[in-house]
Amino acid sequence: MSENTARNITTMGRLAPYQLVARAARPQGTRVHVGAVEFGGSEFVVIAGPCAVESEGQIREAAYAVAGAGAHLLRGGAFKPRTSPYSFQGLGEEGLRLLAIAGREVDLPIVTEVLSTEDLPLVSRYADMLQVGARNMQNFALLKALGATNKPVLLKRGLAASIEELLLAAEYIAYTGNPHVVLCERGIRTFETATRNTLDLNAVAALKELTHLPVLVDPSHGTGRRNLVAPLAKSSAAIGADGLIIEVHPVPEQALSDGEQSLNPSEFAALMHELACYVPLAARTLAGTPTKDAPTNTAGISRSYRQRIDRLDNALIQLLNERIRVALHIGKDKLATGLPLCDSQREEEVLQHRAAMASELLPTEGLTRVFRAVMDETLLAERKFYER
Ligand code: PEP
Ligand code: MN
């Protein structure tokens, strides 16, 4: 028995039946690359788009909306696994073609589901990442065929599959030669009927311990209800998921599938702003809107440092927006109770608290200058909002 094998222990203390995907086989974690996007690194990855590609206009509109809000990959099903044979089954190859065009237009890689072994060559020609749906998690012929490709795979947990079964499904793909696997918790069947599925956040924390593969969460299928998508997305970020896959439709009420769990573009944009506060809780960063136009090619200056600065600035701007939004709520309460918008005593307290976090890089005077500017800007926004 190799040393690695000896250390591949499950949370129950048993020797794990999977070896290649066990955390002990790669304690530092695996990074899976899809175009310029990296899963499993320090950046939190958001995949977004409609459940199904329905028309050229629909996928194009969805693509612009999710790219503009800062998503990193575009999703859209062309071959749909529907419970009823009478439901919309997807546009097939035409859907793949429209998805690929939309992805290229907004410069996002695309992920789409492959339903069967026979479809694999066709879907592989278009997709940057292949999705294995929940209903296919134990389609062993498909898993083996994916193992023989070099395409990154998004493997969704089966509706009634245990964590161990999910990991064994991933082991099939790795064992047959493809190590580029990203796992996805998408809710499981329980006795509960208030939600479509029960999103198992236990699984996320457990998987991070048991495997070195990146772990995503799908709060759309996990809850089945639009209003629950944002809270569960934020919880997933905080618990340490490597990213999310979210259904977004230009007009969810008109969607041909999963409209009741799809966000509209402005709900998705709001969620991306809110996520900026949750992603850092698990020591990850949220890359912002694409920074294609940023000057990243100055001789002698590292392109990746420039890109990191651009992304950090994006995150900062998102946080500042969020801070102002919260301040507007406080402003409303102040006005309701007859208090003035500006409270100098509270401002001094804030400055003192922030100054306590001074560092060598950002000393008290600098920190005070920055926060004075932030509070001035907030007050301006409040005045504009409430005193017009
Ligand atoms: C989907 O992502 O649209 C989908 C069908 O998901 P799942 O396989 O998790 O049900
Ligand atoms: Mn769906």
Side-chain angles (χ1 to χ4, degrees):
M1 191 187 291
S2 76
E3 210 184 306
N4 265 348
T5 311
R7 282 185 282 117
N8 289 344
I9 307 293
T10 67
T11 48
M12 303 297 285
R14 283 191 293 112
L15 189 64
Y18 43 85
Q19 297 301 316
L20 300 173
V21 304
R23 171 60 79 173
R26 232 170 188 277
Q28 73 280 23
T30 284
R31 293 170 185 221
V32 174
H33 294 95
V34 182
V37 178
E38 181 181 76
F39 290 87
S42 62
E43 274 171 18
F44 190 78
V45 177
V46 180
I47 303 174
C51 178
V53 179
E54 299 170 3
S55 69
E56 185 179 357
Q58 174 253 13
I59 188 63
R60 199 156 177 264
E61 206 176 317
Y64 275 92
V66 303
H72 310 103
L73 271 92
L74 175 66
R75 66 152 286 155
F79 293 92
K80 294 302 303 175
R82 303 306 301 279
T83 303
S84 162
Y86 304 110
S87 304
F88 175 60
Q89 303 286 308
L91 297 180
E93 183 169 7
E94 177 63 1
L96 294 173
R97 202 179 66 79
L98 297 175
L99 179 67
I101 292 172
R104 266 201 303 278
E105 223 173 287
V106 296
D107 203 18
L108 292 186
I110 55 171
V111 53
T112 193
E113 177 161 354
V114 55
L115 265 187
S116 70
T117 328
E118 302 86 79
D119 294 338
L120 185 54
L122 172 70
V123 181
S124 299
R125 275 206 296 281
Y126 291 92
D128 298 300
M129 184 179 213
L130 298 164
Q131 176 173 326
V132 177
R135 291 153 194 83
N136 256 330
M137 190 202 83
Q138 285 188 320
N139 178 340
F140 299 115
L142 181 61
L143 298 178
K144 286 183 194 169
L146 285 162
T149 75
N150 206 26
K151 285 259 174 182
V153 177
L154 177 61
L155 177 63
K156 298 188 92 176
R157 181 180 181 185
L159 280 74
S162 67
I163 292 172
E164 187 164 298
E165 286 163 342
L166 170 62
L167 288 170
L168 283 167
E171 186 87 358
Y172 257 96
I173 304 174
Y175 178 68
T176 44
N178 184 354
H180 314 296
V181 181
V182 174
L183 304 173
C184 180
E185 161 57 37
R186 49 77 71 206
I188 49 174
R189 280 274 166 87
T190 68
F191 57 83
E192 184 56 72
T193 52
T195 47
R196 180 177 179 187
N197 290 297
T198 295
L199 189 66
D200 182 12
L201 290 185
N202 285 0
V204 181
L207 284 167
K208 292 307 293 179
E209 205 175 280
L210 292 170
T211 177
H212 53 81
L213 297 176
V215 180
L216 301 194
V217 174
D218 173 349
S220 307
H221 294 86
T223 63
R225 288 171 49 192
R226 182 175 313 145
N227 290 345
L228 301 186
V229 171
L232 273 302
K234 292 186 274 186
S235 322
S236 304
I239 207 172
D242 294 290
L244 295 165
I245 176 163
I246 296 181
E247 289 187 336
V248 179
H249 191 285
V251 190
E253 297 70 24
Q254 292 170 13
L256 298 181
S257 64
D258 288 349
E260 58 297 336
Q261 67 191 35
S262 301
L263 301 185
N264 67 33
S266 64
E267 287 165 338
F268 178 67
L271 171 58
M272 289 299 282
H273 279 301
E274 290 180 38
L275 274 175
C277 302
Y278 288 82
V279 168
L281 297 177
R284 285 180 182 75
T285 52
L286 181 64
T289 40
T291 52
K292 244 174 117 183
D293 302 322
T296 50
N297 53 0
T298 315
I301 297 175
S302 156
R303 185 179 155 85
S304 74
Y305 283 134
R306 276 269 161 87
Q307 284 176 335
R308 273 169 68 182
I309 288 282
D310 289 340
R311 289 182 182 135
L312 286 167
D313 285 351
N314 276 326
L316 263 176
I317 293 168
Q318 288 174 22
L319 281 170
L320 287 170
N321 273 292
E322 180 64 13
R323 192 182 187 284
I324 292 178
R325 261 197 290 275
V326 174
L328 288 177
H329 285 291
I330 298 177
K332 192 168 161 199
D333 290 348
K334 280 181 183 165
L335 294 179
T337 45
L339 292 168
L341 284 175
C342 179
D343 178 348
S344 342
Q345 197 187 331
R346 165 70 186 156
E347 284 198 355
E348 286 314 310
E349 276 169 24
V350 169
L351 288 177
Q352 268 177 26
H353 277 112
R354 304 305 174 259
M357 292 177 76
S359 66
E360 206 182 328
L361 295 176
L362 197 52
T364 306
E365 313 79 67
L367 210 48
T368 305
R369 270 195 301 273
V370 169
F371 273 90
R372 248 196 218 297
V374 168
M375 288 190 298
D376 286 350
E377 218 42 55
T378 307
L379 189 60
L380 275 179
E382 287 181 273
R383 294 216 159 112
K384 209 162 94 193
F385 206 80
Y386 292 118
E387 294 178 356
R388 57 186 159 196

